[in-house]
Amino acid sequence: YGDQWECDRGYYQSGNQCLKVNMPANAHINVLYGDQWECDRGYYQSGNQCLKVNMPANAHINVLYGDQWECDRGYYQSGNQCIK
């Protein structure tokens, strides 16, 4: 409405000031609000860091979130592997 202020992308409000979002390696500013970070595709959040998704053979990064793996077409998951 023009009667309030908000922080620029990459910053978050803390009281009456804007502080820079500190991101770990393999992260980016979240798309929706721009005041937090999220892990890049192929990485998942663990505490304050982004760890690489370890995939077995015949698997790929899931399409929706990009933070887990799923078996390729024609394979099914059995524990931490993909079986034909």
Side-chain angles (χ1 to χ4, degrees):
Y1 298 103
D3 60 346
Q4 298 178 13
W5 60 273
E6 60 184 37
C7 298
D8 291 339
R9 284 188 67 72
Y11 292 83
Y12 64 95
Q13 185 175 343
S14 178
N16 289 326
Q17 58 183 340
C18 294
L19 300 177
K20 186 175 175 93
V21 175
N22 293 318
M23 293 184 297
N26 305 305
H28 58 274
I29 296 296
N30 70 347
V31 177
L32 190 57
Y33 298 110
D35 62 351
Q36 297 176 8
W37 60 267
E38 57 189 24
C39 294
D40 295 339
R41 285 189 64 74
Y43 293 84
Y44 65 94
Q45 185 174 345
S46 178
N48 288 326
Q49 59 184 340
C50 294
L51 301 178
K52 187 171 180 64
V53 174
N54 293 315
M55 294 185 297
N58 304 306
H60 59 273
I61 296 297
N62 67 350
V63 175
L64 189 56
Y65 297 110
D67 62 351
Q68 297 176 15
W69 60 267
E70 57 190 22
C71 293
D72 293 340
R73 188 176 182 94
Y75 294 83
Y76 66 91
Q77 183 174 346
S78 177
N80 287 327
Q81 57 184 335
C82 293
I83 307 296
K84 190 168 181 104

